[in-house]
Amino acid sequence: MSREDIEFDAQGTTLRGWFYPATGSDGDAPCVVVQHGFAAVKEMWLDRYAEVFQEAGLSALVYDHPGFGASDAVLGTPRQEIDPWQQVRCIQHAITYAQSRPEVDAERIGLWGSSYGGGHAYVTAAIDRRVKAVVGQVPAISGSHSFQQLVRIDNWAAMDAAFSAERQARAAGADAALLPVVDKDPTAMSALPTPDSYEWFQTTADDRASSWRNEVTMTSMEYFRGYEPGIYIPLIAPTPLLMIVAPLDRLADGRLATAAYEKASQPKNLVLVGGGHFDAYTGDGFETSSGAARDWFVEHLGRRRPHEGDHR
């Protein structure tokens, strides 16, 4: 598989990633923009999805969100801060960059996102008609709902106080407060306090993502609570929408995602994967999720156009 290290400008900062040219492309292939979820970096299995798309005659653009992995932070924003609306705007810059490449048919852009990035994919598809097909897997639907599931009710007031204090401290010039993304102890303070989150992030980081850092800013959690990507799902049509959902997902509630699917208009499709939130990335879950996404993009974007004399 061939890929190119790339960088592009987004809001005055530099985002970095990989470009995978479609197999056999002569300059007019569709391109899928691929972006990750909460606090993750591109090495956390995005290369495998890009390779599946590449083999199917689709180019793929993979990158790190601002302030994560190889990408610079936006001026005025600390590293490890997850601002969902900033990330949505950067997706739009990634689309612009993809369209500028000579290997890409600028009128055939797809968008793929997972987890928090799945929510971003829905929002972007609803507000940016350059997206011609969208796939979101194990998607974030409601920040407020997820916050209430992940943070004990008797800690809500303390979190409100922490958010307020953090705003005051940063306004006074203090460095951003940080908390772990995951902790081995699910009762300890962390952004994603579930055992499967700890196992997946730590194992994946050890195996293939040395650039990953187990920390996000406290402000990321305030942004998380206020982010409601599910509101945009009814606005995606007529862009073709594929939702890949794990009904047993307890991190990004699979039940909430299947209910949200019912609010979308056609064309749409729902694919279910077994297991929990992170099972979509490996094993049978990967075969299901990547295959469904590949087929959706091929159906709605087409493949690369053959070279003259190519009889396949």
Side-chain angles (χ1 to χ4, degrees), residues 128-142:
D128 193 329
R129 292 302 167 187
R130 295 179 298 171
V131 178
K132 304 304 182 186
V134 61
V135 176
Q137 72 172 33
V138 291
I141 299 297
S142 169

Side-chain angles (χ1 to χ4, degrees), residues 113-116 118 122 136-140 244-246 249 252 273 276-278 280-281:
S114 186
S115 192
Y116 214 44
Y122 300 156
Q137 72 172 33
V138 291
I244 301 173
V245 176
D249 190 341
V273 294
H277 186 78
F278 298 100
Y281 297 100

